[in-house]
């Protein structure tokens, strides 16, 4: 596809988010979940007369489909929090090690100074 002088026309991909691959992972930038007005939440439409249709219909609502995503986000949040706590613990251990090393160096310097003054 070319535009005018043999230059390729810029292609613009319109990529809508899906359940498996959302457009963004930031919940603040995602489109709000809107329940359709034609169907009450969690119930079948009035024209369905089959007895078991109500239960099968409830299992196919959008909220039910998005529960694994919400669960995965919660797990990811927990893992990130645990990783941050682990990183904090590693930094604390390293800081204490450096503090002990500095104290030993300070004691060596004091001893060397005392030896120099006494002789």
């Amino acid at each position: 596809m070319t535009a005018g002088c043999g230059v390729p026309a810029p292609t613009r991909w319109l990529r809508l988010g899906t359940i498996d691959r959302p457009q963004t992972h930031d919940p603040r930038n995602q489109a709000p979940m809107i329940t359709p007005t034609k169907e009450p939440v969690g119930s079948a439409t009035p024209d369905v007369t089959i007895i078991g249709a109500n239960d099968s219909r409830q299992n196919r609502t959008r909220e039910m489909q998005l529960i694994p995503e919400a669960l995965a986000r919660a797990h990811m949040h927990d893992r990130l929090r645990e990783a941050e706590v682990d990183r904090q613990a590693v930094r604390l251990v390293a800081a204490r090690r450096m503090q002990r090393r500095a104290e030993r160096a300070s004691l060596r310097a004091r001893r060397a100074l005392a030896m120099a003054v006494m002789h």
Side-chain angles (χ1 to χ4, degrees):
M1 179 187 313
T2 60
C5 306
V7 178
T11 58
R12 218 174 130 209
W13 289 89
L14 180 62
R15 182 170 172 239
L16 297 176
T18 63
I19 289 176
D20 292 331
R21 295 176 184 267
Q23 201 165 11
T24 176
H25 290 286
D26 187 4
R28 290 172 293 183
N29 293 339
Q30 289 178 358
M33 188 164 46
I34 301 168
T35 55
T37 55
K38 64 182 180 209
E39 179 180 350
V41 176
S43 66
T45 52
D47 59 345
V48 176
T49 56
I50 302 171
I51 304 289
N54 212 3
D55 295 335
S56 66
R57 190 98 169 142
Q58 285 179 351
N59 289 334
R60 285 182 274 146
T61 61
R62 187 169 182 209
E63 290 86 357
M64 289 293 286
Q65 290 176 356
L66 295 179
I67 284 175
E69 270 191 45
L71 190 60
R73 273 195 210 99
H75 279 290
M76 194 169 76
H77 177 72
D78 289 345
R79 298 295 91 76
L80 288 173
R81 190 171 39 89
E82 286 173 10
E84 180 59 34
V85 167
D86 289 346
R87 280 193 293 271
Q88 227 173 4
V90 167
R91 284 194 300 261
L92 181 63
V93 167
R96 285 185 177 159
R97 188 181 307 126
M98 286 188 282
Q99 181 182 6
R100 286 193 300 269
R101 189 177 297 164
E103 287 171 356
R104 285 194 302 267
S106 172
L107 284 174
R108 279 195 303 273
R110 286 178 65 188
R111 262 192 234 114
L113 182 62
M115 295 294 280
V117 169
M118 292 180 81
H119 287 98

